[in-house]
């Protein structure tokens, strides 16, 4: 039997650089005028998914097990699946009721990403309109309270809440991110992620978009990233999140980095049903699990302790519970670029995709620009970017100037007909403003007008509706 490391490595195949696909994975913000703290109710979300399905010829609704008022129920749809160009697309709920998640078909051309996202967002926005909900182009819900009462009560979310601890989980549940999956060949799994990691500060500086939190500006233009980067939960070492130590070297490849963390959750199946299992030993790393060949875990359906041996499914769950800002996903054969917030518009989402694609295509020049920065400098610059946006610094130099050089390199990596996609980020660099800067200015203007809270919220929401 092949080792898990060999299986992991072999899931990255051979990619022709001219045919490399980019696959967006998007989290967005749902807002309700009618519900408590403006977070949609479970019924609101069900209506949203049903309304989306009503505008599609073929779509399947899925009802997950939810814990509602102390009872387990299948009464509410929580996910919709349909096909776009023969690719299975999903729209589902996030960990909170105020976020949604959606997949987009991976494509070689940004114009195909544009067409597919426009189609999916049109269906989503129409469904939201018919459900009394708004989709906001922000990286975090601006008025929701950080409370576990907002968790979408799927059983897996409840189990994670119990395992991670309420204080750690509740700060993260209103965030909305943009992920980009970049296809990798096996021989690229160290170099390309390492290069992309070093470009996180300038990209975040131009795209930060989560400044207003619980109705206040708390001093961070990217509060989402600030929280994700500093959070120390009960099951996660510092290296599990944010920008970890430079693990892309001869002595410590990504697989060894991955298995250095304790597993949290996985899944097994008996003769009848599937069930989640929790790893209660907080000290046993996945490496220990492999070397020992066994672990004792707890079934979440009945609480029984059972012995297990390592399986591929355990590695898959581990991959999804280690959260560096760039991570390998052997499930898809990709590097997942994770640091950016959900953006104000489809154009601004595509701009990030264009920059990432251009940097990868123009790898040699891109790497040369940032090879002088060590991980300590990148971490400090990332923290600076989250607080100050385009006014941040890297190694005592202007991060805005670095971002302009980055955009030039990325543009040279794109075909002529794709250079237009970078324009929104070039505009941000030219004026030295991020989406967060514009939100802060508008929020301050509303405060100066001394509006009633309901009027302030309405004005802010109308200004920040997501645009296609």
């Amino acid at each position: 039997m092949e080792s898990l490391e060999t299986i992991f490595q072999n899931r990255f195949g051979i990619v022709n650089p001219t045919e490399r696909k980019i696959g967006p994975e998007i989290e967005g913000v749902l807002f309700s005028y009618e519900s408590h703290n403006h977070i949609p109710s479970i019924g609101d979300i069900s209506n949203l998914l049903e309304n989306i399905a009503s505008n599609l010829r073929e779509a399947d609704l899925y009802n997950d097990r939810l814990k509602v008022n102390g009872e387990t129920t299948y009464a509410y749809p929580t996910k919709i699946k349909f096909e776009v160009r023969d690719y299975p697309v999903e729209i589902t709920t996030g960990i909170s009721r105020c976020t949604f998640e959606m997949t987009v078909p991976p494509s070689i051309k940004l114009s195909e990403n544009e067409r597919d996202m426009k189609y999916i967002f049109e269906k989503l926005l129409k469904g939201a309109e018919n459900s009394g909900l708004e989709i906001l182009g922000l990286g975090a819900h601006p008025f929701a309270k950080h409370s576990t009462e907002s968790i979408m009560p799927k059983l897996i979310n409840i189990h994670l809440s119990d395992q991670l601890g309420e204080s750690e989980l509740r700060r993260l549940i209103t965030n909305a991110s943009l992920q980009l999956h970049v296809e990798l060949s096996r021989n690229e799994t160290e170099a390309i992620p390492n290069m992309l990691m070093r470009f996180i500060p300038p990209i975040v500086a131009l795209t930060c978009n989560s400044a207003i939190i619980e109705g206040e500006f708390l001093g961070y233009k990217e509060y989402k990233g600030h929280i994700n980067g500093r959070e120390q939960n009960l099951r996660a070492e510092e290296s599990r999140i944010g920008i970890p130590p430079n693990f892309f070297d001869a002595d410590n490849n990504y697989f060894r980095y991955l298995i250095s963390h304790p597993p949290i959750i996985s899944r097994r199946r008996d003769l009848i049903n599937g069930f989640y299992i929790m790893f209660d030993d907080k000290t046993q790393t996945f490496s220990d699990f492999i070397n020992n060949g066994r672990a004792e875990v707890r079934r979440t359906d009945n609480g029984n302790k059972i012995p297990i041996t390592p399986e591929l499914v355990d590695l898959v769950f581990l991959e999804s519970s280690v959260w560096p800002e760039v991570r390998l996903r052997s499930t898809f054969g990709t590097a997942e670029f994770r640091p950016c917030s959900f953006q104000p518009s489809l154009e601004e989402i595509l701009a990030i995709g264009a920059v990432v694609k251009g940097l990868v295509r123009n790898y040699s020049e891109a790497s040369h620009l940032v090879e002088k920065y060590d991980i300590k400098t990148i971490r400090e610059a990332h923290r600076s970017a989250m607080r100050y946006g385009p006014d941040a610094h890297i190694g005592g130099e202007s991060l805005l100037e670095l971002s302009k050089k980055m955009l030039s390199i990325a543009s040279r990596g794109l075909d002529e007909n794709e250079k237009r996609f970078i324009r929104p980020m070039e505009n941000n660099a030219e004026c030295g403003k991020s989406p967060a800067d514009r939100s802060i200015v508008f929020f301050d203007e509303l405060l100066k007008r001394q509006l009633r809270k309901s009027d302030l919220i309405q004005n802010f929401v109308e200004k920040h509706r997501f645009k296609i």
Side-chain angles (χ1 to χ4, degrees):
M1 178 181 174
E2 289 183 307
S3 69
L4 287 179
E5 181 172 9
T6 300
I7 294 172
F8 178 87
Q9 292 171 341
N10 287 343
R11 296 178 105 185
F12 297 90
I14 299 175
V15 178
N16 182 336
T18 63
E19 297 179 354
R20 191 189 308 276
K21 292 181 180 178
I22 300 285
E25 185 179 348
I26 296 168
E27 299 172 3
V29 173
L30 293 170
F31 175 92
S32 169
Y33 278 112
E34 303 299 327
S35 298
H36 181 60
N37 287 331
H38 304 296
I39 293 177
S41 66
I42 298 171
D44 290 335
I45 294 170
S46 297
N47 289 337
L48 168 64
L49 296 173
E50 289 168 350
N51 281 322
I52 296 171
S54 70
N55 286 312
L56 292 166
R57 285 186 179 179
E58 295 184 8
D60 296 315
L61 286 167
Y62 292 83
N63 295 36
D64 205 343
R65 286 188 293 175
L66 303 180
K67 199 83 168 181
V68 181
N69 297 325
E71 301 292 332
T72 301
T73 177
Y74 282 94
Y76 303 94
T78 58
K79 177 168 61 178
I80 182 172
K81 284 187 177 182
F82 54 98
E83 289 193 352
V84 176
R85 294 191 296 110
D86 298 324
Y87 185 88
V89 167
E90 292 185 5
I91 300 176
T92 186
T93 57
I95 195 169
S96 166
R97 298 195 311 273
C98 70
T99 57
F100 67 87
E101 299 176 2
M102 76 183 212
T103 54
V104 178
S107 298
I108 297 170
K109 299 179 179 179
L110 291 170
S111 58
E112 292 178 350
N113 289 139
E114 179 183 38
R115 179 192 62 198
D116 293 340
M117 282 195 283
K118 185 175 180 182
Y119 175 79
I120 298 167
F121 271 120
E122 283 175 346
K123 302 300 182 186
L124 178 58
L125 288 167
K126 185 66 174 177
E129 179 184 351
N130 293 336
S131 306
L133 300 177
E134 302 281 1
I135 295 175
L136 303 187
L138 294 165
H141 194 297
F143 302 110
K145 299 297 183 184
H146 287 170
S147 167
T148 50
E149 294 177 4
S150 305
I151 290 176
M152 186 66 190
K154 296 179 183 179
L155 293 189
I156 188 170
N157 292 342
I158 293 171
H159 299 323
L160 286 173
S161 178
D162 292 341
Q163 199 79 350
L164 296 176
E166 178 175 336
S167 63
E168 288 73 24
L169 189 66
R170 65 186 175 86
R171 295 183 179 182
L172 307 179
I173 61 176
T174 65
N175 299 334
S177 302
L178 165 65
Q179 283 86 238
L180 293 164
H181 287 264
V182 182
E183 274 192 322
L184 296 181
S185 294
R186 181 173 175 177
N187 63 354
E188 298 174 323
T189 56
E190 295 180 12
I192 286 179
N194 200 20
M195 178 271 290
L196 289 175
M197 190 81 75
R198 285 176 160 82
F199 278 103
I200 286 173
I203 292 177
V204 168
L206 295 182
T207 64
C208 49
N209 190 35
S210 55
I212 308 304
I213 303 294
E214 294 187 328
E216 297 182 65
F217 173 50
L218 300 178
Y220 285 87
K221 295 179 180 180
E222 188 72 299
Y223 192 77
K224 176 194 77 68
H226 159 68
I227 285 295
N228 286 343
R230 68 190 272 277
E231 195 69 30
Q232 299 294 311
N233 65 49
L234 299 178
R235 301 299 308 275
E237 302 87 336
E238 182 182 358
S239 66
R240 197 171 194 133
I241 50 182
I243 299 180
N246 188 357
F247 40 75
F248 300 109
D249 58 43
D251 298 322
N252 191 19
N253 67 18
Y254 190 86
F255 183 80
R256 285 191 282 277
Y257 160 79
L258 180 66
I259 65 174
S260 70
H261 299 96
I264 297 174
I265 189 170
S266 189
R267 193 166 175 84
R268 286 294 186 273
R269 187 169 189 86
D270 58 23
L271 294 177
I272 301 174
N273 298 312
F275 53 90
Y276 291 111
I277 55 175
M278 305 300 293
F279 292 79
D280 289 330
D281 185 349
K282 299 177 176 61
T283 64
Q284 184 186 54
T285 67
F286 199 87
S287 179
D288 295 333
F289 181 31
I290 293 173
N291 291 334
N292 295 336
R294 68 181 303 279
E296 190 173 74
V297 298
R298 172 173 51 87
R299 291 181 56 153
T300 61
D301 56 343
N302 58 24
N304 291 343
K305 296 282 187 76
I306 60 171
I308 63 166
T309 56
E311 295 183 10
L312 179 60
V313 66
D314 304 321
L315 183 64
V316 171
F317 270 87
L318 181 70
E319 277 189 25
S320 63
S321 62
V322 177
W323 306 282
E325 299 288 22
V326 182
R327 64 180 178 178
L328 295 184
R329 297 303 305 272
S330 71
T331 305
F332 311 111
T334 63
E336 182 184 1
F337 187 76
R338 300 171 43 81
C340 295
S341 280
F342 186 54
Q343 294 294 293
S345 68
L346 179 57
E347 282 188 346
E348 287 156 293
I349 289 175
L350 285 162
I352 298 172
V355 169
V356 170
K357 180 176 183 177
L359 292 174
V360 172
R361 286 278 294 272
N362 198 5
Y363 168 79
S364 295
E365 190 177 0
S367 295
H368 180 70
L369 178 65
V370 291
E371 64 186 1
K372 66 180 179 180
Y373 301 120
D374 60 20
I375 286 298
K376 181 175 183 291
T377 301
I378 295 296
R379 281 175 161 174
E380 291 172 350
H382 187 209
R383 286 193 291 268
S384 181
M386 289 186 287
R387 182 179 285 276
Y388 302 114
D391 297 326
H393 290 81
I394 180 166
E397 302 170 1
S398 167
L399 199 50
L400 182 58
E401 290 306 310
L402 176 63
S403 73
K404 292 176 181 178
K405 295 176 184 176
M406 171 192 73
L407 293 173
S408 295
I409 289 172
S411 182
R412 289 193 288 275
L414 296 173
D415 297 334
E416 284 301 318
N417 61 355
E418 292 192 319
K419 294 181 187 295
R420 65 181 175 90
F421 289 105
I422 273 183
R423 191 61 192 161
M425 283 182 67
E426 289 176 334
N427 290 338
N428 288 348
E430 287 169 8
C431 67
K433 301 295 181 185
S434 67
D437 289 302
R438 293 187 280 272
S439 288
I440 293 165
V441 169
F442 186 71
F443 189 71
D444 285 342
E445 290 173 356
L446 294 179
L447 291 177
K448 289 175 183 176
R449 290 164 58 185
Q450 297 184 329
L451 299 171
R452 291 184 305 173
K453 183 177 180 180
S454 59
D455 291 334
L456 182 150
I457 290 173
Q458 181 174 352
N459 276 269
F460 192 84
V461 167
E462 289 177 358
K463 180 74 170 179
H464 288 86
R465 288 192 178 102
F466 179 76
K467 300 176 182 66
I468 56 172

